[in-house]
Amino acid sequence: VTGPHFLKLFTDFLCDFPEVRLEVQSTTRHVDLLADGVDVAVRIGPVEDKDLVVRRIHTDRTIVVASPDYLATAGTPERAEDLKKHRCIVGFAGSWTPRCDWPLIKGGTVTVGSRLSANEITLIREAALDGLGCALVGSAVVASDIEAGRLTPLLIDQVGAELPVSLV
């Protein structure tokens, strides 16, 4: 779990439970909880392993965003298919595979080209802020940037998906 929007989870927890000692490790790799000695993990996205106890604590939604500067030079996509002509910044599906198939609200996907692939959400956000292209991110990650006008949400009614956040 990375990014400033999740840090408050841990500090709030410690404030509420002063007797608990917390050790936080951040990775996008799905660790083997038993083998790695992990008591609890925060997983973003669906949890497929039926042997794990999963408690959803939040539901976010992925959205496409880009900076006003990028849109001024590249134009604003009007339809999901337009993303194929844009520079995109993609995250990873699983541990090491760039996620170039972005989900559509009504089902299916749109395949995008990537200029940058990263498994670090803070880097993806920064790249979008720097005008490097369109990015698909959780809305919580960029809420303050959208509110401040640093990023513009795109294709809200066409591209994106529910993003469960769970304790495992």
Side-chain angles (χ1 to χ4, degrees), residues 14-25:
L14 288 173
C15 288
D16 291 345
F17 300 96
E19 69 282 3
V20 173
R21 185 176 151 267
L22 192 60
E23 208 175 279
V24 178
Q25 296 180 8

Side-chain angles (χ1 to χ4, degrees), residues 24-40:
V24 178
Q25 296 180 8
S26 179
T27 180
T28 57
R29 182 178 64 85
H30 279 217
V31 298
D32 181 330
L33 300 179
L34 289 176
D36 292 338
V38 175
D39 295 319
V40 177

Side-chain angles (χ1 to χ4, degrees), residues 21-111:
R21 185 176 151 267
L22 192 60
E23 208 175 279
V24 178
Q25 296 180 8
S26 179
T27 180
T28 57
R29 182 178 64 85
H30 279 217
V31 298
D32 181 330
L33 300 179
L34 289 176
D36 292 338
V38 175
D39 295 319
V40 177
V42 176
R43 295 248 170 107
I44 301 171
V47 178
E48 307 295 332
D49 189 337
K50 303 291 185 214
D51 293 330
L52 298 175
V53 176
V54 179
R55 298 288 181 262
R56 186 176 290 196
I57 58 172
H58 180 68
T59 300
D60 197 2
R61 181 181 181 283
T62 56
I63 60 172
V64 178
V65 296
S67 72
D69 289 343
Y70 173 80
L71 297 173
T73 59
T76 301
E78 304 282 328
R79 302 174 315 119
E81 289 295 312
D82 295 345
L83 290 169
K84 292 179 178 185
K85 298 179 224 157
H86 281 265
R87 291 181 291 168
C88 293
I89 306 154
V90 303
F92 281 54
S95 55
W96 298 111
T97 306
R99 183 175 184 203
C100 294
D101 291 326
W102 288 358
L104 299 176
I105 299 290
K106 294 182 180 176
T109 61
V110 61
T111 301

